[in-house]
Amino acid sequence: MLPSEPLSFEQVLADERRETGALGVEPGEDASAPAALCISGGGIRSATFALGAVQGLAGQGLLERFHYLSTVSGGGYLGGLLSAWAHRAGGIDEVAARLRPGAPAAGPGEADPVGHLREYNSYLSPRRGAFSSDTWTLVATVLRNVLLNWLVLLPVLLLAAMLPRLYLSVLAFPEQLFRKVLFANGAPDYAAPQLNAVSDSLWVHEVLPVASALLFAYALFNILRYLPGVGGRDHGRNQFLVNVLSPLAGSVLTFLAFDSLFFLGDNFTDYSQLPSVVLWTVVPAVSAWIAFLLFHRRPLRERFRLLFGPLSLSIPFLAAGTGAAAWITTNYVLWSPDPAADVTWAEYVTIGPPLILFGFFLGAVLFGGLSSRFLSDRDREWMARAVGNVLLAAVGWLAVAGMVLVVPRWALDREWIDGVLAVVGSASAAVSAIGGWLGSGSGEGRKGGALGRWLVAKIAPLLFVASLAAGLAILTDVLLLAVGRLPGLGGISSLQVLSADGAPVGWRQHYEVLHFSSPLLLVAVTLALALLTWVAARFININTFSLHGMYRDRLVRAYLGASNPERSAHGFTGFAAGDDLPIAELATQAGSSAGPESPPSRQPLHVVNLTLNLVAPGRLAWQQRKAASFTVTPLAAGSRELGYRPAESYGGGITLGTAVAISGAAASPSMGYHSSPLVSFIMTLFNARLGAWLGNPGPAGAGTWREAGPRSAVRSLVKEALGLTSDRSEYVYLSDGGHFENLGLYEMVARRCRFIVVLDGGCDPEFAYDDLGGALRKIRIDLGVPIEFEDRLMRPLRERSGRCAVASIRYSAVDPAAPDGTLVYVKPMLLGTEPPDVASYAAAHPDFPHQGTGDQWFDESQTESYRMLGLTTIEEICRGFEGGGFDDLHRHLESVYLEGEGRSTPPSPSAPLTTA
């Protein structure tokens, strides 16, 4: 029976301790604090270095002593191999026996995992070359997924681009309906009597002005309710958007529609009267003030005091500022006695609403000044935040409407600009997407000059978004013209896009398409796009048809399939159905075949570290990290903040391959600390998405946590593209564990592991220790546990004269009764003691052993060099180690590192400590 509520971390930890057999495994050591091996992110580079290191640990008799195996990203490649191998072989002791240096080769019919890895060291496309079927399969898969992704996303973008058009078509409707009368003499005649049919209609004469006034009154009523010193009603940002900003914007849009449609025919006038427009805003404002006083729960005497106080004077001024801006906009922006100074409908729709909203800002300034003796600092802060949101909405409208309505004409009026837009858009998209991918790699953000990084991060995404918006607007023009000319529809004059003189409009005549597209045509196309969006989003699984599926299948073939003794690969595709396995099965294996005294086969328990993306976080302190830790183990999946769900049912029964692939999802629109809204949008558009959407394991996902992906793709894709991922929706976006913490150390400290070995294979050519510093910082902040490196134990690594450093994990800082732990931090480096073949490879490749993570196509010499460096690293660290448990290894390391200091005993707790 599955639990109905999420499991707590304490429940999960108790289950893990029981399943790993951590209690009493090593006599003489603290049974309540197990040992862990952490393998960092870094793609195939980290996995291959770790392969040699694990062989070294097996040779020292240490591999089978770890209770936990914590992996991140590329470390998960090797972790997946070890877990699947241990599952199939009957225990980690069997694996260790095969991994020890000098172990006999695999016999006939036996799996040879290390040999299999050599075959698939270029795991994405094992057979390389321009004419390789693997290469073109990869190309075809990526293109297929991009096209399917566009089938969902492009209709959504076109729908968004239709909204300003629909509004413009309402304002310009008389020109489209009465074009022959209106343009009979060339210049438009807005006094033509035929236009009375529009200006005197019920909708224009009654509905629009009443709706505008009611919306304005409703917005002001809620402003008064929410002001801390007036109504004092508590609320969040969403309530402000729904009850204040949305009705205020709706009031502005309906007023502009009324103004544009009312002053036609007999009602036509060059200028409207300022008092009448100001009255339009003051009357609703005063009505809102009176309604507030009537319905507010303050005592009657206090309400009378408010009525005759400064607010009664300030509120009309707030409304008057908005009304004055509306009068200036409608009289001096839309209309001018000089025809050459007239703006087009596209320009008016773009700048009109922001101008009136700016008038609201000026009115709010007057409101704050006149009521300063009554309002407190809390009220002024609230008004500043409210007006800030209004200004943000104005700028957003200006940007979107400008790109959709105005920029395309500027582009199409210049013959040479078409090619430039295509080149700029393509180049900036490539630079943004690739820059977002590479920038997410550990330690790789410093590569290249500052100017280049700034161009990638700021300019290229903006250029691409502007080019894309112009391109979508032009595509919409083409679509509208094509629909209007479809056989069977061409005879319907209201659906044809014809100019003022009745001639067909061409696709390069952007303003004419805007002005003369009927609302009926626009509504028909909008509904068709909405239907296409619904169908595509309903049936196209965004997890299946992202890069995630392609990436997962190739990782499974290379690493999990390596230990499959009955592997039967398909003759054409090369994939085998039995390579992957549900991760929950790793916890259900019976005891080890080596005897009752050996560790249980579920040891070490594999903790796959993922990142829960919180690009739109609820916690202010997490605005920089934009992420939280998320783990998948054979027992449970989830996070401490949200809770955990049983792994056997989470995500439809999440597999080991799926967990490892998500943990290695370096290329992702949401990348924790590395997230950028513009880059997120571009990477989503081009399907550079290795992460996955899965059900929220917390209460918000009570109905979704068992599902393998979202039922409909639209909401998830929009959140991903706009950088709105959070932990409050029913689905969460999971990506590379390195987007939160790249060593796998954080979760092991949370589990109070007493002895932790970290294999840091991240790309760090400058030895800046970014991943270590980030892990120490998060552990100290979140868990309260400082990790301290005694100077003598850190110096060899800092001076690059030793391959590891030793630190104390100060659990006693949060629990005085808890024993402190030990961290052994291992870093790949060249010391001149490497085997000749490794030294030869290093001489030919100066960036070894920190070659870029973008290189996921290792050749034989590269694979062997990293493997041998890992093996050499552990053998040198353990040289002179006579065997035993982790306490024995700790004493050995301290004696070796302190030998040159004339010390025979470990440093005292009072010795000066430094952190990396």
Coordinates of all heavy atoms in Angstrom, one line a residue, residues 740-789:
F740 N 23.0 22.2 -9.1 CA 22.9 22.6 -7.7 C 24.3 22.4 -7.0 O 24.8 23.3 -6.4 CB 21.8 21.8 -7.0 CG 21.7 22.0 -5.5 CD1 21.2 23.2 -5.0 CD2 22.2 21.0 -4.6 CE1 21.1 23.4 -3.6 CE2 22.2 21.3 -3.3 CZ 21.6 22.4 -2.8
E741 N 24.8 21.2 -7.0 CA 26.0 20.8 -6.3 C 26.7 19.7 -7.1 O 26.1 18.6 -7.2 CB 25.7 20.5 -4.9 CG 27.0 20.4 -4.0 CD 27.5 19.0 -3.9 OE1 26.8 18.1 -3.5 OE2 28.7 18.8 -4.4
N742 N 27.9 19.9 -7.5 CA 28.5 19.0 -8.6 C 29.3 17.9 -8.0 O 29.9 17.1 -8.7 CB 29.4 19.9 -9.5 CG 29.6 19.2 -10.8 OD1 28.6 18.6 -11.4 ND2 30.8 19.2 -11.3
L743 N 29.5 17.8 -6.7 CA 30.3 16.7 -6.1 C 29.5 15.6 -5.5 O 30.1 14.5 -5.2 CB 31.2 17.3 -5.0 CG 32.2 18.4 -5.4 CD1 33.0 18.9 -4.2 CD2 33.1 18.0 -6.5
G744 N 28.2 15.7 -5.2 CA 27.5 14.7 -4.6 C 27.7 14.7 -3.1 O 27.3 13.7 -2.4
L745 N 28.4 15.7 -2.6 CA 28.8 15.8 -1.1 C 27.7 16.2 -0.2 O 27.5 15.7 0.9 CB 30.0 16.7 -1.0 CG 30.6 17.0 0.4 CD1 31.1 15.7 1.0 CD2 31.7 18.0 0.3
Y746 N 26.9 17.1 -0.7 CA 25.8 17.7 0.1 C 24.9 16.7 0.7 O 24.6 16.7 1.9 CB 25.0 18.7 -0.9 CG 23.9 19.4 -0.2 CD1 24.1 20.7 0.2 CD2 22.6 18.9 -0.1 CE1 23.0 21.5 0.8 CE2 21.6 19.6 0.4 CZ 21.8 20.9 0.9 OH 20.7 21.6 1.4
E747 N 24.4 15.7 -0.1 CA 23.5 14.8 0.4 C 24.1 13.8 1.4 O 23.5 13.2 2.3 CB 22.8 14.0 -0.7 CG 21.8 14.8 -1.5 CD 20.6 15.2 -0.7 OE1 20.3 14.4 0.3 OE2 19.9 16.1 -1.1
M748 N 25.4 13.5 1.2 CA 26.1 12.6 2.1 C 26.3 13.3 3.5 O 26.3 12.6 4.5 CB 27.4 12.2 1.5 CG 27.3 11.4 0.2 SD 26.2 9.9 0.4 CE 24.6 10.4 -0.2
V749 N 26.6 14.5 3.5 CA 26.7 15.3 4.8 C 25.4 15.3 5.4 O 25.2 15.1 6.7 CB 27.3 16.7 4.6 CG1 27.3 17.5 5.9 CG2 28.7 16.6 4.0
A750 N 24.3 15.5 4.6 CA 22.9 15.5 5.2 C 22.6 14.1 5.9 O 21.9 14.1 6.8 CB 21.9 15.8 4.1
R751 N 23.3 13.1 5.4 CA 23.0 11.7 5.9 C 24.1 11.4 7.0 O 24.1 10.2 7.5 CB 23.1 10.7 4.8 CG 21.9 10.7 3.9 CD 22.1 10.0 2.6 NE 20.9 9.8 1.8 CZ 20.2 10.8 1.2 NH1 20.8 12.0 1.1 NH2 19.1 10.5 0.5
R752 N 24.9 12.4 7.4 CA 25.8 12.2 8.5 C 26.8 11.1 8.3 O 27.2 10.3 9.2 CB 25.1 12.0 9.9 CG 24.3 13.2 10.3 CD 25.1 14.4 10.7 NE 24.3 15.5 11.1 CZ 24.0 15.7 12.4 NH1 24.3 14.9 13.4 NH2 23.2 16.8 12.8
C753 N 27.3 11.0 7.0 CA 28.3 10.0 6.8 C 29.6 10.3 7.5 O 30.0 11.5 7.4 CB 28.5 9.8 5.2 SG 27.1 9.1 4.4
R754 N 30.2 9.4 8.1 CA 31.4 9.7 8.9 C 32.7 9.8 8.0 O 33.6 10.6 8.3 CB 31.6 8.6 10.0 CG 32.8 8.9 10.9 CD 33.0 7.9 11.9 NE 34.2 8.2 12.7 CZ 34.8 7.3 13.4 NH1 34.4 6.0 13.5 NH2 35.9 7.6 14.1
F755 N 32.7 9.0 7.0 CA 33.9 9.0 6.1 C 33.4 9.1 4.7 O 32.6 8.3 4.2 CB 34.7 7.7 6.3 CG 36.1 7.8 5.7 CD1 37.2 8.1 6.5 CD2 36.3 7.5 4.4 CE1 38.4 8.2 6.0 CE2 37.6 7.5 3.9 CZ 38.7 7.9 4.7
I756 N 33.9 10.1 4.0 CA 33.4 10.4 2.7 C 34.7 10.6 1.8 O 35.6 11.4 2.1 CB 32.6 11.7 2.6 CG1 31.4 11.6 3.5 CG2 32.1 12.0 1.2 CD1 30.5 12.9 3.6
V757 N 34.7 9.9 0.7 CA 35.7 10.1 -0.4 C 35.0 10.7 -1.6 O 34.0 10.3 -2.1 CB 36.3 8.7 -0.8 CG1 37.3 8.9 -2.0 CG2 37.0 8.1 0.4
V758 N 35.6 11.9 -2.0 CA 35.0 12.6 -3.1 C 36.0 12.5 -4.3 O 37.2 12.9 -4.1 CB 34.8 14.1 -2.8 CG1 34.4 14.9 -4.1 CG2 33.6 14.2 -1.8
L759 N 35.6 12.0 -5.4 CA 36.4 12.0 -6.7 C 35.9 13.2 -7.5 O 34.8 13.1 -8.1 CB 36.2 10.7 -7.4 CG 36.5 9.4 -6.6 CD1 36.2 8.2 -7.5 CD2 38.0 9.4 -6.2
D760 N 36.7 14.3 -7.5 CA 36.2 15.5 -8.2 C 36.8 15.5 -9.6 O 38.0 15.9 -9.8 CB 36.7 16.7 -7.5 CG 36.3 18.0 -8.2 OD1 35.6 18.0 -9.2 OD2 36.6 19.1 -7.7
G761 N 36.1 15.0 -10.6 CA 36.5 15.0 -12.0 C 36.0 16.2 -12.8 O 35.9 16.1 -14.0
G762 N 35.5 17.3 -12.2 CA 35.0 18.4 -12.9 C 36.1 19.1 -13.6 O 37.3 19.0 -13.3
C763 N 35.7 19.9 -14.6 CA 36.7 20.6 -15.4 C 37.2 21.9 -14.6 O 36.4 22.8 -14.4 CB 36.1 21.1 -16.8 SG 37.2 21.9 -17.9
D764 N 38.4 21.9 -14.2 CA 38.9 22.9 -13.4 C 40.4 23.2 -13.8 O 41.3 22.9 -12.9 CB 38.8 22.6 -11.9 CG 39.1 23.7 -11.0 OD1 39.2 24.9 -11.4 OD2 39.3 23.4 -9.8
P765 N 40.7 23.7 -15.0 CA 42.1 23.8 -15.4 C 42.9 24.8 -14.6 O 44.1 24.7 -14.5 CB 41.9 24.3 -16.9 CG 40.6 24.9 -17.0 CD 39.7 24.1 -16.0
E766 N 42.2 25.8 -14.0 CA 42.9 26.8 -13.2 C 42.9 26.4 -11.7 O 43.4 27.2 -10.9 CB 42.2 28.1 -13.4 CG 42.1 28.6 -14.8 CD 41.3 29.9 -15.0 OE1 41.0 30.5 -13.9 OE2 41.0 30.2 -16.1
F767 N 42.4 25.3 -11.3 CA 42.4 24.8 -10.0 C 41.8 25.9 -9.0 O 42.4 26.3 -8.0 CB 43.8 24.4 -9.5 CG 44.2 23.1 -10.1 CD1 44.9 23.1 -11.4 CD2 44.0 21.9 -9.5 CE1 45.2 21.9 -11.9 CE2 44.4 20.7 -10.1 CZ 45.0 20.7 -11.3
A768 N 40.6 26.4 -9.4 CA 39.9 27.4 -8.6 C 39.0 26.7 -7.6 O 38.5 27.4 -6.7 CB 39.1 28.3 -9.5
Y769 N 38.8 25.4 -7.7 CA 38.0 24.6 -6.8 C 36.5 25.2 -6.6 O 36.0 25.3 -5.5 CB 38.6 24.5 -5.4 CG 40.0 23.9 -5.5 CD1 41.2 24.7 -5.4 CD2 40.1 22.5 -5.7 CE1 42.4 24.1 -5.5 CE2 41.4 21.9 -5.7 CZ 42.5 22.7 -5.7 OH 43.8 22.1 -5.8
D770 N 35.9 25.6 -7.8 CA 34.6 26.2 -7.7 C 33.6 25.2 -7.1 O 32.7 25.5 -6.3 CB 34.1 26.6 -9.1 CG 34.7 27.9 -9.6 OD1 35.3 28.6 -8.7 OD2 34.6 28.2 -10.8
D771 N 33.7 23.9 -7.6 CA 32.7 22.9 -7.1 C 32.8 22.7 -5.6 O 31.8 22.5 -4.9 CB 32.8 21.6 -7.9 CG 32.4 21.8 -9.4 OD1 31.6 22.7 -9.6 OD2 32.9 21.0 -10.2
L772 N 34.1 22.6 -5.2 CA 34.3 22.3 -3.8 C 33.8 23.5 -2.9 O 33.1 23.4 -1.9 CB 35.8 22.1 -3.5 CG 36.2 21.9 -2.0 CD1 35.5 20.7 -1.5 CD2 37.7 21.8 -1.9
G773 N 34.1 24.7 -3.4 CA 33.7 25.9 -2.7 C 32.2 26.0 -2.6 O 31.6 26.4 -1.6
G774 N 31.5 25.7 -3.8 CA 30.1 25.8 -3.8 C 29.4 24.8 -2.9 O 28.4 25.1 -2.2
A775 N 30.0 23.6 -2.8 CA 29.5 22.5 -1.9 C 29.7 22.9 -0.5 O 28.7 22.8 0.3 CB 30.2 21.2 -2.2
L776 N 30.8 23.4 -0.1 CA 31.1 23.8 1.3 C 30.1 24.9 1.7 O 29.6 24.9 2.8 CB 32.5 24.2 1.5 CG 33.6 23.2 1.2 CD1 35.0 23.8 1.5 CD2 33.4 21.9 1.9
R777 N 29.9 25.8 0.8 CA 29.1 27.0 1.1 C 27.6 26.5 1.4 O 27.0 26.9 2.4 CB 29.1 28.0 0.0 CG 28.5 29.3 0.2 CD 28.7 30.2 -1.0 NE 30.1 30.4 -1.3 CZ 30.6 29.9 -2.5 NH1 29.8 29.4 -3.4 NH2 31.9 30.1 -2.7
K778 N 27.1 25.7 0.5 CA 25.7 25.3 0.6 C 25.5 24.4 1.9 O 24.5 24.5 2.6 CB 25.3 24.5 -0.6 CG 25.1 25.4 -1.9 CD 24.6 24.6 -3.0 CE 24.4 25.5 -4.3 NZ 25.6 26.0 -4.9
I779 N 26.5 23.5 2.1 CA 26.4 22.7 3.3 C 26.5 23.5 4.6 O 25.7 23.2 5.5 CB 27.6 21.7 3.3 CG1 27.4 20.6 2.2 CG2 27.7 21.0 4.6 CD1 28.6 19.8 1.9
R780 N 27.3 24.5 4.6 CA 27.3 25.4 5.8 C 26.1 26.1 6.0 O 25.5 26.3 7.1 CB 28.5 26.3 5.7 CG 28.8 27.1 7.0 CD 29.8 28.2 6.8 NE 31.0 27.7 6.2 CZ 31.5 28.1 5.1 NH1 30.8 28.9 4.3 NH2 32.6 27.6 4.6
I781 N 25.5 26.7 4.9 CA 24.3 27.5 5.0 C 23.1 26.6 5.3 O 22.3 27.0 6.2 CB 24.0 28.3 3.7 CG1 25.1 29.3 3.5 CG2 22.7 28.9 3.7 CD1 25.1 30.0 2.1
D782 N 22.9 25.5 4.6 CA 21.7 24.8 4.7 C 21.7 23.8 5.9 O 20.7 23.6 6.6 CB 21.4 24.0 3.4 CG 21.1 24.9 2.2 OD1 21.0 26.1 2.4 OD2 21.1 24.4 1.1
L783 N 22.8 23.2 6.1 CA 22.9 22.1 7.1 C 23.6 22.5 8.4 O 23.6 21.8 9.4 CB 23.7 20.9 6.5 CG 23.1 20.3 5.2 CD1 24.0 19.2 4.6 CD2 21.7 19.9 5.3
G784 N 24.3 23.7 8.3 CA 25.0 24.2 9.5 C 26.3 23.5 9.9 O 26.8 23.6 11.0
V785 N 26.8 22.7 8.9 CA 28.0 21.8 9.2 C 29.2 22.4 8.4 O 29.2 22.4 7.2 CB 27.7 20.4 8.7 CG1 29.0 19.6 8.9 CG2 26.5 19.8 9.4
P786 N 30.1 23.0 9.2 CA 31.4 23.4 8.5 C 32.3 22.3 8.2 O 32.4 21.3 8.9 CB 32.0 24.4 9.5 CG 31.5 23.9 10.8 CD 30.1 23.3 10.6
I787 N 32.9 22.4 7.0 CA 33.9 21.4 6.6 C 35.3 22.1 6.6 O 35.4 23.1 5.8 CB 33.6 20.8 5.3 CG1 32.3 20.0 5.4 CG2 34.7 19.8 4.8 CD1 31.8 19.3 4.1
E788 N 36.2 21.7 7.4 CA 37.4 22.5 7.6 C 38.7 21.7 7.2 O 38.8 20.5 7.6 CB 37.5 22.9 9.1 CG 36.3 23.7 9.5 CD 36.3 24.0 11.0 OE1 36.9 23.2 11.8 OE2 35.6 24.9 11.5
F789 N 39.5 22.3 6.4 CA 40.7 21.7 6.0 C 41.9 22.3 6.8 O 42.2 23.5 6.8 CB 41.0 22.1 4.5 CG 40.1 21.3 3.5 CD1 38.9 21.9 3.2 CD2 40.5 20.2 2.9 CE1 38.0 21.2 2.3 CE2 39.7 19.5 2.1 CZ 38.4 20.0 1.7

